[in-house]
Amino acid sequence: MRRSAADELTKRDFLTSLGVWLVIEFACFVLFPRIGLIESNPRMNTWFWISVPLGVMGAFVLAISSRMLGLADLDDGEDRAKRNSRMTLGQIGGWLGIGGILFPFVMMAYEFWMTASDRVNQP
C-alpha cells in the first residue's frame, strides 16, 4: 500500500464512519422518539450532547487507527516489535472508535429497556 493510498483510505474511513454515526444519531434522537419506541425525556438532551463529541472523535480515532494499520502493513523492513505495537494500537483504537460511534445506539437501547420496563410495571 502506498502512502497516498493510505491517505485515501484514512479519508474514506473517516467519512464513512462519520456517515454511519450521523445515521445512528438521526435514528436514535429523531426517529425512535417520534414513532414512540422510546419516550422523550430530559436525559435525551444530555445523551445527545455527550454523543456528539464521542461520535466525531470516534470517527477520527477509527480513521487514524485504520491509517496506523495500513502503515504497519506498508513497513516490511522495520523490526517486528515496532510493527506489532502499531498493529495492536491500531486495533485498540479501532474498537474505541467503534465504541464512540455506537454510543448513541447503546444509550437508546438503555432508554428503550427503561421505557419497556416502565410500561410493564404500570398498574
Side-chain angles (χ1 to χ4, degrees):
M1 176 184 290
R2 299 182 332 255
R3 292 207 190 269
S4 63
D7 292 341
E8 285 300 315
L9 179 67
T10 303
K11 182 179 175 182
R12 187 186 73 207
D13 286 346
F14 175 72
L15 293 175
T16 302
S17 56
L18 196 62
V20 167
W21 171 74
L22 285 172
V23 168
I24 292 171
E25 283 284 302
F26 177 78
C28 291
F29 292 107
V30 176
L31 188 63
F32 292 168
R34 209 164 268 222
I35 62 175
L37 198 58
I38 58 174
E39 292 177 7
S40 187
N41 57 39
R43 287 189 312 238
M44 297 283 288
N45 194 25
T46 305
W47 292 138
F48 175 75
W49 288 112
I50 291 172
S51 72
V52 169
L54 284 177
V56 173
M57 289 303 296
F60 180 74
V61 168
L62 188 69
I64 293 300
S65 43
S66 171
R67 180 173 176 88
M68 201 178 291
L69 288 171
L71 291 176
D73 191 37
L74 178 66
D75 296 334
D76 292 332
E78 287 190 27
D79 59 277
R80 276 180 128 6
K82 190 173 185 179
R83 184 171 186 238
N84 286 342
S85 65
R86 274 189 184 167
M87 296 283 277
T88 303
L89 283 173
Q91 291 171 350
I92 291 170
W95 282 107
L96 289 174
I98 289 171
I101 292 168
L102 292 180
F103 177 78
F105 181 73
V106 172
M107 289 302 104
M108 289 309 111
Y110 169 77
E111 290 293 332
F112 172 76
W113 289 113
M114 290 297 107
T115 300
S117 68
D118 288 345
R119 288 182 182 167
V120 169
N121 293 332
Q122 286 180 352

